[in-house]
């Protein structure tokens, strides 16, 4: 079972006896589909994912290249009214993130007015003084955001993290939907599900919309990957192929007179927009790490000259920082003039003496995270940690309190999930994807639901044993009208 008292998104809080009204069809499907048939479909999905090469790597492990992220066949469902509320909050938050980045690398009004402590910016490893004064086209810094959400009740959604650097997981969102369409078509007859297959077109249009002013004619867009040894290489190649653009490695690009060119068999071709999946540190050895073998020398000079657009913009990592996250309600209010529509999880900044004292006194009950951590690493989940792990974190907190934040251990919502013992509740989180271009902000009607497959676990990251589910966003809150699968999914099948 999941954490005691957790809200189940299908059954509510009463246990698997009577489903919430909107999900009676899904409950009937789960009850009527034999376990053996569920297993057969799961095995078919796994075989398809392996054949497609949908894998991820855990650095330092010998079998990393052979792993697939486990997929669960029971979908997670959002009603139309829930999605409208979430979308409004996501748009407000991403607009604030873009305004914040534009400000701290420009006028820095938010620092002058004392909303955010200056040292939290200037002493942060993710702050890039090298990009100060640069204004990307249309003032868009975070073109692609993944905002991690958690749920604790029927109407209780919280932002857990902001991902404004290189949020991953879109390929799994799309492939999970493809798997569900093949394996469970009956669910798409029961529910009017919004399509997600337009994401590559939306992304490509976003890229074209933010081409630099120097671009004449149709912009040439590429996806820049560090190479096939990267843990997310499948996603890089998937997105490039889906958009119909070139997938390039650093050696394929050259900068001449502050203009980026792609080497081709027909000669050099000018590049206007680069969706880069390389971290700032390795992007340009002339500006950042001089020993980087992954970068493109001179690309930052081309960016500063306004001759190429980099997606996402260098310097965005400051918005991912978990100490900055703790100020996001104030940041949203500062730039939007209103209260945040999506609240944060309560957060203690360990850099503050009173907060540190509270966290040290309650390590067994809280979750402690590195401010620059990701992937479930560098994290303590107090209620499930050993005494030694708690004492190790206690020492780390005392030594470097500024590197950590802490949050309460939430009763994350659960969704029924196939296990070796049959259907059982497992905790989930959710990563919707938000695109920002010259025409504004749009939220893709779906996202990546990550599920903690281990009983009682709250850690959903794939590198820590988590899996994924398809995320249905209903087009209305009423019963489904009869329709074909192709109508449901925009004619893709």
């Amino acid at each position: 079972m999941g954490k005691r008292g957790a809200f189940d998104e299908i059954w509510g809080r009463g246990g698997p006896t009577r489903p919430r009204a909107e999900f009676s069809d899904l409950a009937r499907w789960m009850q009527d589909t034999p376990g053996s048939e569920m297993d057969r479909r799961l095995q078919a999905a796994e075989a398809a994912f392996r054949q497609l090469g949908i894998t991820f790597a855990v650095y330092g492990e010998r079998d990393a290249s052979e792993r697939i992220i486990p997929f669960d066949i029971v979908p997670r469902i959002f009603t139309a009214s829930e999605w409208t509320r979430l979308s409004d909050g996501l748009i407000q938050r991403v607009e604030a993130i873009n305004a914040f980045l534009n400000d701290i690398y420009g006028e820095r009004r938010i620092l002058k007015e004392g909303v955010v402590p200056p040292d939290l910016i200037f002493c942060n490893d993710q702050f890039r003084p090298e990009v100060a004064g640069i204004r990307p086209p249309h003032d868009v810094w975070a073109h692609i955001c993944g905002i991690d959400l958690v749920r604790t009740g029927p109407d209780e959604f919280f932002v857990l993290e902001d991902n404004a650097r290189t949020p991953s997981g879109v390929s799994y969102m799309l492939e999970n939907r493809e798997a569900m369409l093949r394996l469970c078509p009956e669910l798409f007859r029961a529910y009017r599900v919004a399509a997600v297959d337009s994401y590559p077109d939306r992304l490509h249009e976003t890229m074209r919309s933010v081409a630099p002013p120097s671009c004449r004619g149709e912009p040439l867009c590429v996806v820049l990957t560090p190479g096939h040894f990267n843990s997310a290489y499948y996603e890089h190649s998937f997105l490039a192929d889906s958009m119909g653009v070139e997938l390039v490695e650093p050696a394929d690009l050259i900068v001449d007179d502050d203009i980026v060119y792609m080497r081709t068999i027909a000669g050099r071709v000018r590049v206007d927009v680069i969706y880069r999946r390389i971290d700032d540190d390795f992007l340009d050895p002339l500006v950042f790490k001089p020993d980087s073998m992954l970068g493109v020398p001179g690309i930052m000079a081309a960016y500063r000259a306004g001759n190429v657009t980099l997606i996402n913009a260098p310097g965005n990592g400051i918005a991912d920082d978990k100490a900055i996250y703790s100020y996001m309600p104030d940041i949203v209010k500062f730039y939007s003039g209103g209260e945040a529509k999506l609240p944060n999880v309560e957060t203690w900044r360990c850099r503050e003496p009173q907060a540190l004292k509270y966290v040290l006194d309650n390590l067994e009950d809280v979750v402690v995270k590195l401010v620059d951590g990701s992937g479930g690493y560098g994290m303590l989940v107090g209620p499930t940690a050993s005494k030694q792990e708690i004492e190790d974190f206690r020492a780390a907190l005392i030594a470097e309190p500024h590197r950590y934040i802490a949050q309460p251990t939430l009763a994350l919502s659960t969704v029924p999930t196939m296990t070796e013992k049959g259907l059982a509740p497992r905790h989930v989180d959710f990563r919707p994807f938000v695109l920002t271009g010259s025409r504004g902000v749009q939220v893709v009607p779906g996202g990546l639901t990550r599920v903690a497959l281990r009983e009682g676990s709250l850690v959903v990251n794939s590198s820590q044993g988590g899996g994924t589910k398809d995320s249905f966003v209903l087009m209305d809150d009423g019963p489904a009208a009869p329709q074909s699968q192709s109508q449901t999914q925009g004619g893709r099948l």
Side-chain angles (χ1 to χ4, degrees):
M1 296 294 290
K3 184 177 174 62
R4 175 174 286 185
F7 168 75
D8 191 273
E9 298 189 11
I10 307 302
W11 303 108
R13 297 189 188 276
T17 53
R18 180 179 298 176
R20 298 168 66 205
E22 304 93 333
F23 305 130
S24 57
D25 286 338
L26 179 63
R28 190 177 306 113
W29 174 80
M30 289 189 291
Q31 292 166 348
D32 293 347
T33 306
S36 58
E37 176 61 14
M38 290 277 202
D39 287 337
R40 185 195 69 78
R41 296 184 190 188
L42 280 173
Q43 290 170 10
E46 180 176 329
F49 290 163
R50 286 196 181 280
Q51 185 175 18
L52 288 169
I54 307 176
T55 61
F56 76 100
V58 179
Y59 294 122
E61 297 194 12
R62 296 177 64 183
D63 64 343
S65 62
E66 299 301 320
R67 291 195 182 189
I68 64 169
I69 295 181
F71 168 71
D72 186 70
I73 204 167
V74 180
R76 197 249 193 99
I77 299 180
F78 294 96
T79 65
S81 56
E82 287 171 347
W83 190 252
T84 297
R85 191 166 67 254
L86 288 177
S87 294
D88 288 345
L90 290 165
I91 290 170
Q92 180 198 46
R93 194 171 183 104
V94 169
E95 286 178 341
I97 286 173
N98 270 299
F100 171 70
L101 290 165
N102 202 47
D103 189 17
I104 63 168
Y105 289 113
E107 296 180 9
R108 298 172 180 164
R109 290 189 303 114
I110 199 167
L111 305 184
K112 295 172 185 174
E113 297 191 25
V115 178
V116 176
D119 70 291
L120 203 59
I121 303 295
F122 300 132
C123 297
N124 195 305
D125 289 342
Q126 294 301 322
F127 177 71
R128 305 295 184 188
E130 298 89 348
V131 303
I134 295 178
R135 297 185 68 86
H138 306 283
D139 291 335
V140 179
W141 292 75
H143 309 80
I144 307 161
C145 284
I147 309 296
D148 289 352
L149 303 175
V150 294
R151 187 177 193 175
T152 59
D155 299 306
E156 298 167 352
F157 292 91
F158 298 90
V159 176
L160 187 64
E161 289 184 8
D162 299 297
N163 297 280
R165 272 181 290 184
T166 52
S168 60
V170 163
S171 60
Y172 301 109
M173 172 187 78
L174 296 172
E175 294 294 3
N176 286 353
R177 176 59 53 84
E178 283 289 300
M180 290 297 290
L181 281 164
R182 289 195 304 270
L183 299 172
C184 306
E186 64 273 22
L187 288 177
F188 295 90
R189 291 191 288 269
Y191 290 104
R192 286 171 44 83
V193 182
V196 296
D197 59 355
S198 63
Y199 179 84
D201 291 336
R202 293 181 188 224
L203 175 58
H204 196 194
E205 177 53 36
T206 297
M207 293 175 68
R208 291 197 298 263
S209 79
V210 293
S214 58
C215 175
R216 298 291 182 266
E218 182 67 15
L220 193 146
C221 307
V222 300
V223 176
L224 174 61
T225 176
H228 67 278
F229 290 111
N230 184 267
S231 63
Y233 180 75
Y234 170 78
E235 179 157 295
H236 306 167
S237 58
F238 175 92
L239 287 174
D241 183 61
S242 299
M243 289 189 289
V245 305
E246 292 293 334
L247 178 69
V248 298
E249 295 188 19
D252 299 320
L253 301 179
I254 187 171
V255 179
D256 187 5
D257 197 21
D258 292 345
I259 295 175
V260 182
Y261 296 94
M262 175 175 60
R263 293 184 171 100
T264 74
I265 56 174
R268 294 180 177 181
V269 178
R270 180 168 177 170
V271 175
D272 301 296
V273 183
I274 300 174
Y275 177 16
R276 51 107 183 188
R277 298 297 293 259
I278 295 177
D279 289 342
D280 290 355
D281 279 342
F282 306 100
L283 186 59
D284 186 339
L286 301 181
V287 176
F288 300 117
K289 284 194 172 186
D291 59 347
S292 171
M293 301 297 291
L294 299 176
V296 180
I299 196 170
M300 285 300 298
Y303 177 59
R304 181 175 286 278
N307 292 327
V308 69
T309 299
L310 298 177
I311 296 177
N312 281 326
N316 274 17
I318 192 74
D320 285 12
D321 184 88
K322 293 178 179 62
I324 296 296
Y325 157 91
S326 69
Y327 285 94
M328 276 304 299
D330 299 317
I331 292 171
V332 169
K333 188 173 184 177
F334 183 80
Y335 294 110
S336 73
E339 299 295 331
K341 297 176 182 179
L342 283 174
N344 273 17
V345 176
E346 183 181 9
T347 302
W348 296 282
R349 296 183 281 261
C350 296
R351 70 199 297 268
E352 299 172 358
Q354 284 299 111
L356 175 62
K357 182 180 185 305
Y358 176 85
V359 172
L360 290 174
D361 289 344
N362 295 274
L363 276 176
E364 297 84 356
D365 301 315
V366 300
V367 177
V368 183
K369 302 177 181 178
L370 281 166
V371 295
D372 57 351
S374 63
Y377 296 103
M379 183 170 75
L380 174 79
V381 181
T384 61
S386 67
K387 289 184 178 179
Q388 186 60 52
E389 288 171 332
I390 288 174
E391 291 310 309
D392 289 345
F393 257 82
R394 187 184 305 279
L397 277 166
I398 293 171
E400 297 180 298
H402 63 282
R403 296 190 64 204
Y404 296 92
I405 56 99
Q407 296 170 329
T409 307
L410 298 179
L412 302 187
S413 63
T414 60
V415 175
T417 301
M418 279 299 296
T419 72
E420 293 180 356
K421 298 179 182 179
L423 286 171
R426 291 293 184 265
H427 295 292
V428 293
D429 80 350
F430 183 57
R431 177 175 291 178
F433 296 95
V434 187
L435 298 174
T436 305
S438 64
R439 297 177 181 87
V441 184
Q442 55 179 318
V443 183
V444 181
L448 181 67
T449 288
R450 300 183 298 180
V451 53
L453 296 175
R454 296 170 183 163
E455 184 175 359
S457 175
L458 295 170
V459 182
V460 300
N461 305 81
S462 57
S463 56
Q464 308 292 314
T468 67
K469 289 174 173 285
D470 192 8
S471 308
F472 285 13
V473 172
L474 303 187
M475 297 173 67
D476 55 54
D477 287 344
Q483 59 183 316
S484 69
Q485 291 176 50
S486 60
Q487 289 173 321
T488 305
Q489 289 297 304
R492 186 175 184 180
L493 293 184

